[in-house]
Amino acid sequence: MGITATYLFPTDINQEQKAEQFALGLTVGSWTDIAHLEREQLKHHKGELLSVEKGPVKDIVKIHYPSANVSPDIPAILTTVYGKFSFFQGYELIDLAFDDELLAQFPGPRFGVQGVRDFLGVHNRPLLMAIFKGVMGRDIDFFSNQLRDLLAGGVDLIKDDEILFDNPLTPFEKRITTAKAIIDEHYEKTGHKVLYAVNLSGRSHLLHEKAERAQELGANALLFNVHAYGLDAMQSLRENNNIALPIVAHSALSGVSAGQQDVGYSYDLLVGKLTRMAGGDFSLYPSPYGNVAIPKKEALAIHDKLNETNRFAQTFSVPSAGIHPGLVPQLYEDFGANLVVNAGGGIFGHPDGPIRGAQAFRAAIDAMVANVSLQEAALTSEPLKVAINQWGVLEVQR
Amino acid sequence: MGITATYLFPTDINQEQKAEQFALGLTVGSWTDIAHLEREQLKHHKGELLSVEKGPVKDIVKIHYPSANVSPDIPAILTTVYGKFSFFQGYELIDLAFDDELLAQFPGPRFGVQGVRDFLGVHNRPLLMAIFKGVMGRDIDFFSNQLRDLLAGGVDLIKDDEILFDNPLTPFEKRITTAKAIIDEHYEKTGHKVLYAVNLSGRSHLLHEKAERAQELGANALLFNVHAYGLDAMQSLRENNNIALPIVAHSALSGVSAGQQDVGYSYDLLVGKLTRMAGGDFSLYPSPYGNVAIPKKEALAIHDKLNETNRFAQTFSVPSAGIHPGLVPQLYEDFGANLVVNAGGGIFGHPDGPIRGAQAFRAAIDAMVANVSLQEAALTSEPLKVAINQWGVLEVQR
């Protein structure tokens, strides 16, 4: 019963002894020097080296930590399994496995893929998310106009830019009430529901109050810079029943601890598994295609962790940054249908404006589901044709 | 008015243009394409490239972000200045400078060096802190015995091990009340005050309640794994006037974002400047000497940031891990008198037990203040003599 941590350690001829030392040092401290009676007392707390798999550069080391050593929260778990290791060069934490009793203390997403699809009434295709762009320094009319355009173009979700914080021109509450009115109107006209994820930001101790107020004002989703606050802060928002809103977990700052070669966490642990456990309904992360990109293998590993079958609802996978309609076939090939296609510049940079920008994406998504090529779909979608002329089509690599 | 971020960027022949792009991309987005009227509107939000200093491997790049772009909190600031950069390879954030108006929104330590010295009544020497060891799996009597020994040995402060969480054998509240009784008794007998930093852990949304309860029960300091929760969580604890307790900020997990070569934050920014701004009364970090060590240059840079003259109280510098009495001369040489000498194994591993282990440290500290060599001091201190025989003396490098 407990936690199994999988690490990559720099290869060492005496890895077994070294890793055994770590397993003890990070739990009961010593073992050989202590008396039999004490050993009995301590054996429920003793860390155990499970395996060492030798490699040419790194060894894969698995260490088991008893549940008795931690409280059931992510800060205690990460401090235990990686608090000290973080100071060493080249020691990576690539996975954590938990026993069922421990897992049961984590919530997973409140809505997840299914809940979000049910709310939106969209079951058969990837979703389209747009990012407000250039709102900083502009007023609420600018925001409203962008929102109307995006709705007219057929997006399913819209999120704030993660660097838009509370500000006098477009205050948090005003964004919520303005968006609600426009989204409600859109629903009455078209029957289409849309989620708007407002950036929940500011001081830690005010987040719950602010999120509860957002819910009261009619917000229907939250954007959260989870790595600026810690995963546990998101988990507590997820668990607050006065805040029953889907949470869009943004990966800003995660690269500092997960994105660097040879050190830190793996992306699929931090932005995949732990983000899902802690209750993210969506996990945004850099796609393998854009100017802010992560290796494809890592992006796919995140996606797998968000979708694999386990006790938690699935988290919507949102590979982001640099997405244009010509990438949709590759996204669909790589990530499948449980996907959110997320675009900012790829919508607002469309030569014919954002309405057509969004329409081009919707045409591209529909083409994938209908098993039609983008080029063929462009014959009946002028916006898609223009987008393809603008950005091209990435030939699908299988 | 705003924030100046200093980065190391991988060297690039077109660094000016690249960095200028970043300065815009991370603020108003574009510049050249927008109309004059909008430019006027946006100029208070536009990021500005201040300077590029070319280097052979890295260029030093300074970018200014207007205050108007952020709310005055660390999550917003870090997300703005490093949220996206974190995904790139080799982009380091080495410093942040803030205007006075922004700085005024941060608290700094409630007590700081002076407040802690006043409480303890110790003004003329480095303090001695001990770490409880091997408490995991042991009961409250074990804890009490360690505490009595440490007090008898003359320590000024005692902290929980950072991996000791709430648990049935030594529960949080029981540790507080037990320690309080023993520390009060010690004070009545000796007139010496001692701080015990209990590990404030568990779920984020319960931290304030738990810390307030700790205060009610007579706790006199808190240990906090700040990097497991985020700096803003610590700041809000600092600002809660129902929790007027010194905070010992532990650097566990900080290595993942600050300790790695060529990436992430500098240690002096994260564990120095920001930890002080956010209200840490003590900042623990790996010393340059032990088995968990950081380069001396970085340790000294942290120490400088904790002590430099600015609007905030000074934070006590606690270079930790692998400290034994034979290192005290070098510690004193490197860090001066405003220092906490922090030891676990160096006290409990003393051949004659922890009382003498602590006494050896106190003798070493007193020797430094009296400008006496350790060898000379050992002539009149048997515990120090034994410690030196055990671990040796590091010859001071100036």
Side-chain angles (χ1 to χ4, degrees):
Chain A
M1 300 296 285
I3 304 155
T4 299
T6 306
Y7 305 92
L8 297 180
F9 281 12
T11 190
D12 191 299
I13 193 145
N14 297 315
Q15 195 71 276
E16 276 82 3
Q17 294 95 303
K18 276 188 72 169
E20 180 74 30
Q21 285 282 311
F22 278 124
L24 288 172
L26 296 169
T27 56
V28 294
S30 57
W31 195 245
T32 48
D33 304 339
I34 58 177
H36 179 72
L37 196 71
E38 279 187 291
R39 284 198 186 201
E40 279 303 302
Q41 196 184 340
L42 288 179
K43 74 181 179 193
H44 298 298
H45 296 272
K46 181 178 170 289
E48 205 176 335
L49 175 62
L50 298 183
S51 62
V52 172
E53 199 179 306
K54 300 273 188 184
V57 182
K58 293 270 182 122
D59 298 337
I60 302 174
V61 172
K62 285 181 194 277
I63 295 177
H64 181 265
Y65 300 85
S67 290
N69 294 14
V70 297
S71 47
D73 55 77
I74 290 175
I77 292 168
L78 291 183
T79 301
T80 297
V81 305
Y82 204 57
K84 270 213 180 71
F85 279 122
S86 80
F87 297 113
F88 300 127
Q89 301 295 313
Y91 284 75
E92 298 173 69
L93 178 64
I94 59 170
D95 198 18
L96 290 171
F98 306 92
D99 70 54
D100 281 343
E101 201 182 319
L102 199 51
L103 271 188
Q105 316 227 28
F106 290 88
R110 183 182 284 271
F111 301 92
V113 169
Q114 197 56 49
V116 169
R117 286 196 177 284
D118 289 348
F119 175 84
L120 294 174
V122 178
H123 293 280
N124 58 348
R125 60 167 174 82
L127 303 180
L128 177 60
M129 180 187 281
I131 311 159
F132 281 109
K133 276 298 167 194
V135 174
M136 188 182 281
R138 264 83 168 218
D139 61 17
I140 201 76
D141 286 340
F142 181 91
F143 171 90
S144 300
N145 290 336
Q146 281 204 352
L147 180 56
R148 286 200 187 88
D149 282 352
L150 294 168
L151 296 180
V155 307
D156 302 299
L157 313 102
I158 302 147
K159 66 172 269 292
D160 277 339
D161 199 336
E162 79 277 8
I163 57 167
L164 183 77
F165 303 104
D166 220 349
N167 71 87
L169 289 168
T170 54
F172 181 71
E173 297 198 359
K174 187 79 184 161
R175 293 205 301 281
I176 293 168
T177 52
T178 303
K180 179 178 162 45
I182 294 170
I183 287 170
D184 284 352
E185 193 190 321
H186 176 74
Y187 176 69
E188 297 198 353
K189 270 200 275 190
T190 66
H192 293 144
K193 287 193 176 162
V194 171
L195 290 170
Y196 160 52
V198 63
N199 190 12
L200 179 67
S201 65
R203 301 297 313 281
S204 302
H205 59 289
L206 302 175
L207 290 173
H208 283 252
E209 190 184 317
K210 209 169 158 184
E212 289 177 15
R213 179 78 183 132
Q215 166 119 351
E216 279 169 24
L217 291 171
N220 62 13
L222 299 171
L223 176 72
F224 191 55
N225 285 317
V226 54
H227 303 286
Y229 292 94
L231 286 157
D232 188 72
M234 183 172 76
Q235 184 182 328
S236 74
L237 291 167
R238 152 65 180 95
E239 289 169 334
N240 180 340
N241 288 328
N242 297 325
I243 315 168
L245 297 176
I247 298 172
V248 179
H250 198 284
S251 62
L253 290 173
S254 71
V256 69
S257 44
Q260 306 298 339
Q261 280 167 5
D262 206 37
V263 300
Y265 308 113
S266 65
Y267 266 126
D268 64 290
L269 175 61
L270 190 66
V271 175
K273 187 181 273 192
L274 294 176
T275 295
R276 183 178 176 190
M277 273 173 70
D281 295 283
F282 300 83
S283 180
L284 263 82
Y285 55 92
S287 79
Y289 318 120
N291 57 339
V292 182
I294 63 173
K296 187 162 172 174
K297 201 180 142 195
E298 296 184 27
L300 293 176
I302 295 170
H303 184 77
D304 284 350
K305 288 293 185 347
L306 299 176
N307 285 284
E308 67 185 2
T309 303
N310 62 30
R311 63 179 301 126
F312 302 122
Q314 290 171 311
T315 297
F316 248 125
S317 186
V318 195
S320 304
I323 304 296
H324 60 75
L327 293 174
V328 171
Q330 187 68 54
L331 277 166
Y332 196 69
E333 169 69 22
D334 290 341
F335 298 93
N338 266 353
L339 174 73
V340 178
V341 176
N342 181 29
I347 289 177
F348 288 101
H350 191 284
D352 299 331
I355 299 179
R356 296 196 145 217
Q359 286 170 340
F361 271 104
R362 283 294 308 274
I365 290 169
D366 291 346
M368 292 310 103
V369 175
N371 201 20
V372 166
S373 79
L374 226 51
Q375 288 79 358
E376 202 182 327
L379 298 176
T380 55
S381 167
E382 182 68 16
L384 181 55
K385 188 176 141 200
V386 172
I388 290 174
N389 284 342
Q390 177 76 7
W391 290 298
V393 176
L394 184 68
E395 203 177 330
V396 173
Q397 308 285 323
R398 288 198 168 81
Chain B
M1 298 296 285
I3 304 155
T4 298
T6 305
Y7 305 93
L8 298 180
F9 282 12
T11 190
D12 191 299
I13 192 144
N14 298 314
Q15 196 69 278
E16 276 81 3
Q17 293 94 307
K18 276 188 74 170
E20 179 76 27
Q21 285 281 311
F22 278 125
L24 289 172
L26 295 169
T27 55
V28 294
S30 56
W31 196 246
T32 49
D33 305 341
I34 57 177
H36 178 72
L37 196 71
E38 279 187 292
R39 283 198 186 201
E40 278 303 303
Q41 195 182 340
L42 289 178
K43 74 181 181 195
H44 298 298
H45 297 272
K46 183 178 167 289
E48 204 175 336
L49 175 63
L50 298 183
S51 62
V52 172
E53 200 180 306
K54 300 273 188 187
V57 182
K58 293 268 181 122
D59 298 337
I60 302 173
V61 173
K62 286 183 194 277
I63 295 177
H64 181 265
Y65 300 86
S67 290
N69 293 14
V70 298
S71 47
D73 55 78
I74 290 175
I77 292 168
L78 291 183
T79 300
T80 297
V81 304
Y82 204 57
K84 271 212 179 72
F85 280 122
S86 81
F87 296 114
F88 300 125
Q89 302 294 313
Y91 285 74
E92 298 174 69
L93 178 64
I94 59 170
D95 197 18
L96 289 171
F98 306 91
D99 69 54
D100 280 343
E101 200 183 320
L102 199 51
L103 271 187
Q105 317 230 24
F106 291 87
R110 184 182 283 270
F111 302 92
V113 169
Q114 197 54 49
V116 168
R117 286 195 176 285
D118 288 348
F119 175 86
L120 294 174
V122 178
H123 293 278
N124 58 348
R125 60 167 173 82
L127 303 180
L128 176 61
M129 180 187 282
I131 311 159
F132 281 109
K133 277 295 164 194
V135 174
M136 189 181 282
R138 264 80 170 223
D139 60 18
I140 201 77
D141 287 342
F142 181 91
F143 170 90
S144 301
N145 290 335
Q146 282 205 352
L147 181 56
R148 285 200 189 88
D149 283 352
L150 293 169
L151 295 180
V155 307
D156 302 299
L157 312 102
I158 302 148
K159 68 174 268 291
D160 277 339
D161 199 338
E162 79 278 6
I163 58 167
L164 184 77
F165 304 104
D166 219 349
N167 71 88
L169 288 168
T170 53
F172 180 73
E173 297 196 358
K174 188 81 185 158
R175 293 205 301 282
I176 293 167
T177 52
T178 304
K180 179 180 163 44
I182 294 169
I183 287 171
D184 284 353
E185 194 191 321
H186 176 73
Y187 176 69
E188 297 194 358
K189 270 199 274 189
T190 67
H192 293 144
K193 287 194 177 164
V194 171
L195 289 170
Y196 159 52
V198 63
N199 189 11
L200 179 67
S201 66
R203 301 297 313 282
S204 301
H205 59 289
L206 302 176
L207 291 173
H208 283 252
E209 190 184 317
K210 209 169 158 185
E212 289 177 15
R213 179 79 182 130
Q215 166 118 353
E216 278 168 27
L217 291 171
N220 62 13
L222 300 171
L223 176 72
F224 192 54
N225 285 316
V226 53
H227 303 285
Y229 293 94
L231 286 157
D232 188 74
M234 181 172 78
Q235 185 182 327
S236 74
L237 292 167
R238 151 64 180 97
E239 290 168 334
N240 181 339
N241 289 328
N242 298 324
I243 315 167
L245 297 175
I247 298 172
V248 179
H250 198 285
S251 62
L253 289 173
S254 71
V256 69
S257 42
Q260 306 298 338
Q261 280 165 4
D262 205 35
V263 301
Y265 307 112
S266 64
Y267 266 126
D268 63 291
L269 175 61
L270 191 66
V271 175
K273 187 181 273 192
L274 293 177
T275 295
R276 183 177 175 191
M277 270 173 71
D281 295 284
F282 299 83
S283 180
L284 263 82
Y285 55 91
S287 79
Y289 319 118
N291 57 338
V292 183
I294 63 174
K296 187 162 171 173
K297 201 180 141 195
E298 296 184 26
L300 293 177
I302 295 170
H303 184 77
D304 283 348
K305 288 291 183 351
L306 299 177
N307 285 284
E308 67 185 2
T309 303
N310 63 30
R311 63 179 301 126
F312 303 122
Q314 289 171 313
T315 297
F316 247 125
S317 186
V318 195
S320 304
I323 304 297
H324 59 77
L327 293 174
V328 171
Q330 186 69 53
L331 277 166
Y332 196 69
E333 168 69 21
D334 291 340
F335 298 92
N338 266 353
L339 173 73
V340 178
V341 176
N342 181 29
I347 289 176
F348 288 101
H350 191 284
D352 298 331
I355 298 178
R356 296 197 144 216
Q359 286 169 340
F361 272 104
R362 282 294 308 275
I365 289 169
D366 292 345
M368 291 310 103
V369 176
N371 201 20
V372 166
S373 80
L374 226 50
Q375 287 80 357
E376 200 182 328
L379 297 176
T380 54
S381 167
E382 182 69 16
L384 181 56
K385 187 176 142 200
V386 173
I388 289 174
N389 284 342
Q390 176 76 5
W391 291 298
V393 176
L394 183 68
E395 201 177 328
V396 173
Q397 308 286 321
R398 288 199 169 81

